[in-house]
């Protein structure tokens, strides 16, 4: 399945890139043949441009950043492509309906044939067309929106936010994607501490290294260095597509590799802490059989999930009524897999948690989590093998646990006492 989704990813990429060009060429050809002005094409470009720019601006405001002109243009281009592809799909459906419902009858020699439309077939075909278009179009659009990320410029940094010294760093994920990060040395006020302990900090979906920096607020003054990264398609890192933690594990492994090569004195002990998507990525990286994965001593996970397919199903049930929730559950994740080029339905952090042994894991979840239901965190914990710890925050939701003092203190204590289970 992985190779199939990778092939579909390349085909979709070509389709997104080619669709606006093809529409322009078709409009120019019709205009050159004396046809009417291409109003439909102009309307599609106008609507796609408005939708793409709006998406980029809303995203930038949500993460407290600034969108660049180039990213706004790219978002407009891809939104236009999405609309063109849906229109092409609709045109294909209309063509099929025409073939089914139209009958050509021959008449006397020398006269043109008579074309008759079977009205009942046409009515049923058009109803089917609407259902198919909506049933496939809704999951397709939602999959494109949740996997695509406009890039934004960050407006603050560790010094302006928390008064911490830091060094901007860049390195490659293990698959070559360029990743941006901040290396923050352990420090107590204006005094830098020489520490051999470093925690790699990973943000959630749609966030960045700036607005999740708060996760490490107790670690730095307690003598931990931080390597805070932007996952692919987020912040200042390369890429435009996000995979909910599956491919992002390679970002974490690249961070470990950079740390061991460029800051070996700070890499004697390496820990991982992440939220939501970042938590899934940290866990997946830690169970990787590479030296980088095995170098992660312990992981602390905020608000993560057990099974991406199950999470998609529960979100669909929360958001839509039948039959649309069934359609989304059945189609959204496979379409998202085709967009990113990875089999997302096979991404099951609960199975990975079972493989972390003998290293320890801490799972933190808000009981009132409105995005990743608490039961997903509970099942993730149940599947993990000892040594494991949990912290269930009674009134915490998906975002508030990030700034929870109780959770931050629990992570610090966990790292201070974390030891792998002795092997007999």
């Amino acid at each position: 399945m992985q190779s199939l989704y990778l092939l579909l990813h390349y085909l979709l990429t070509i389709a997104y890139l080619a669709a606006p060009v093809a529409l322009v060429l078709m409009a120019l050809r019709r205009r050159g043949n004396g046809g009417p002005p291409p109003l439909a094409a102009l309307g599609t470009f106008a609507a796609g441009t408005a939708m793409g720019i709006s998406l980029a601006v809303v995203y930038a405001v949500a993460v407290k950043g600034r969108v660049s002109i180039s990213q706004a243009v790219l978002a407009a281009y891809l939104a236009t492509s999405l609309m063109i592809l849906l229109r092409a799909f609709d045109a294909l459906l209309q063509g099929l309906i025409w073939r089914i419902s139209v009958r050509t009858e021959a008449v006397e020699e020398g006269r043109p044939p008579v074309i008759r439309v079977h009205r009942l077939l046409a009515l049923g075909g058009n109803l089917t067309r609407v259902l198919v278009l909506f049933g496939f179009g809704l999951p397709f659009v939602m999959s494109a929106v949740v996997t695509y990320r406009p890039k934004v410029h960050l407006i603050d940094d560790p010094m302006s936010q928390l008064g911490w010294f830091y060094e901007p760093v860049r390195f490659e994920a293990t698959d070559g994607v360029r990743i941006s990060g901040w290396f923050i040395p352990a420090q107590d006020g204006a005094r830098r501490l020489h520490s051999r302990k470093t925690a790699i900090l990973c943000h959630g979906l749609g966030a960045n290294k700036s607005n999740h920096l708060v996760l490490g607020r107790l670690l730095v003054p307690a003598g931990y260095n931080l390597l805070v990264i932007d996952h692919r398609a987020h912040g200042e890192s390369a890429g435009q597509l996000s995979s909910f933690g599956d491919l992002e594990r390679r970002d974490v492994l690249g961070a470990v590799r950079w740390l061991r090569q460029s800051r070996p004195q700070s890499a004697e002990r390496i820990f991982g802490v992440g939220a939501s998507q970042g938590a899934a990525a940290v866990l997946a990286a830690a169970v990787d059989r590479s030296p980088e994965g095995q170098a992660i001593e312990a992981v602390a996970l905020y608000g993560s999930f057990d099974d991406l397919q199950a999470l998609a199903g529960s979100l669909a049930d929360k958001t839509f009524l039948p039959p649309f929730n069934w359609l989304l559950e059945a189609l959204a994740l496979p379409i998202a897999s085709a967009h990113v080029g990875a089999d997302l339905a096979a991404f099951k952090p609960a199975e990975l948690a079972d493989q972390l042994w003998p290293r320890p894991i801490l799972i933190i979840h808000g009981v009132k989590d409105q995005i990743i239901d608490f039961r997903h965190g509970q099942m993730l914990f149940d599947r993990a093998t000892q040594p494991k710890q949990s912290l269930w925050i009674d009134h915490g939701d998906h975002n508030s646990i990030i700034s929870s003092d109780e959770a931050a203190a629990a992570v610090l204590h966990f790292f201070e006492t974390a030891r792998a289970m002795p092997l007999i």
Side-chain angles (χ1 to χ4, degrees):
M1 289 297 290
Q2 184 70 30
S3 57
L4 172 62
Y5 282 125
L6 192 58
L7 174 61
L8 291 174
H9 164 72
Y10 290 130
L11 293 176
L12 268 177
T13 301
I14 294 171
Y16 275 112
L17 293 175
V21 176
L23 183 60
V24 169
L25 293 177
M26 290 173 60
L28 291 176
R29 182 178 178 182
R30 288 182 181 178
R31 186 63 175 158
N33 292 335
L39 297 180
L42 292 174
T44 301
F45 274 99
T49 299
M51 184 171 70
I53 293 177
S54 298
L55 174 66
V57 171
V58 168
Y59 179 68
V61 170
V63 300
K64 299 180 181 179
R66 291 179 289 106
V67 64
S68 67
I69 294 176
S70 61
Q71 283 293 307
V73 170
L74 179 60
Y77 191 95
L78 294 178
T80 302
S81 297
L82 182 62
M83 296 186 69
I84 294 171
L85 292 176
L86 290 175
R87 284 189 58 193
F89 182 63
D90 185 36
L92 177 63
L93 292 177
Q94 290 186 62
L96 291 175
I97 293 168
W98 175 261
R99 285 179 175 272
I100 294 171
S101 59
V102 169
R103 296 290 183 269
T104 303
E105 300 178 1
V107 293
E108 298 178 12
E109 187 176 353
R111 294 187 179 183
V114 176
I115 298 176
R116 300 188 186 279
V117 178
H118 194 297
R119 293 185 177 181
L120 186 59
L121 288 175
L123 179 61
N126 281 313
L127 179 60
T128 303
R129 169 196 158 210
V130 171
L131 293 175
V132 172
L133 184 62
F134 194 79
F136 178 77
L138 178 62
F140 191 91
V141 170
M142 293 195 66
S143 298
V145 170
V146 298
T147 55
Y148 172 72
R149 285 287 169 270
K151 308 299 286 299
V152 300
H153 295 299
L154 306 182
I155 59 177
D156 63 7
D157 55 46
M159 178 57 72
S160 64
Q161 190 176 147
L162 295 170
W164 288 345
F165 300 105
Y166 73 99
E167 176 188 350
V169 299
R170 283 195 170 274
F171 54 87
E172 288 188 353
T174 53
D175 59 354
V177 176
R178 294 290 295 172
I179 302 300
S180 172
W182 291 326
F183 180 77
I184 303 169
Q187 50 201 273
D188 183 10
R191 184 169 62 95
R192 301 190 190 192
L193 307 175
H194 297 286
S195 176
R196 298 182 180 275
K197 302 179 295 185
T198 299
I200 298 174
L201 195 156
C202 301
H203 61 76
L205 180 68
N208 56 60
K209 61 180 180 287
S210 174
N211 53 32
H212 273 48
L213 190 59
V214 67
L215 286 174
R217 65 189 181 282
L218 297 186
L219 296 176
V220 170
Y224 289 79
N225 309 306
L226 285 185
L227 178 54
V228 191
I229 67 172
D230 279 330
H231 282 298
R232 61 188 62 206
H234 291 76
E236 298 171 319
S237 291
Q240 301 285 167
L241 297 172
S242 180
S243 66
F244 315 105
D246 189 4
L247 298 180
E248 286 76 10
R249 76 181 80 191
R250 302 172 184 177
D251 308 343
V252 182
L253 294 172
V256 174
R257 178 181 296 174
W258 177 88
L259 185 64
R260 299 177 79 193
Q261 292 177 350
S262 302
R263 297 289 187 278
Q265 71 280 6
S266 301
E268 186 173 305
R269 303 190 67 193
I270 300 175
F271 305 90
V273 55
S276 192
Q277 171 188 276
V282 164
L283 176 58
V287 303
D288 191 85
R289 297 304 178 187
S290 65
E292 290 79 16
Q294 298 303 301
I296 301 174
E297 289 191 23
V299 295
L301 314 180
Y302 283 76
S304 197
F305 55 90
D306 60 321
D307 183 309
L308 189 53
Q309 180 75 61
L311 176 62
S314 65
L315 288 174
D317 290 339
K318 277 184 180 181
T319 311
F320 295 92
L321 295 173
F324 305 116
N325 58 336
W326 306 331
L327 288 169
L328 285 169
E329 186 173 354
L331 297 177
L333 205 57
I335 297 173
S337 299
H339 275 89
V340 302
D343 185 4
L344 299 180
F347 186 47
K348 304 178 186 298
E351 295 181 359
L352 301 177
D354 187 47
Q355 301 171 30
L356 187 64
W357 181 89
R359 291 166 291 164
I361 183 172
L362 168 64
I363 298 175
I364 301 169
H365 213 102
V367 176
K368 304 296 184 182
D369 195 317
Q370 74 281 24
I371 297 177
I372 300 178
D373 193 86
F374 172 67
R375 63 188 174 88
H376 291 288
Q378 179 70 65
M379 286 188 283
L380 179 62
F381 178 77
D382 291 343
R383 285 295 303 271
T385 305
Q386 294 285 359
K388 61 182 179 179
Q389 298 178 30
S390 65
L391 174 62
W392 309 137
I393 301 178
D394 290 337
H395 300 290
D397 60 28
H398 192 68
N399 294 317
S400 67
I401 62 172
I402 303 301
S403 55
S404 166
D405 291 335
E406 181 185 8
V411 171
L412 176 58
H413 178 73
F414 173 68
F415 285 162
E416 291 285 87
T417 57
R419 297 292 184 274
M421 180 173 286
L423 299 177
I424 299 176

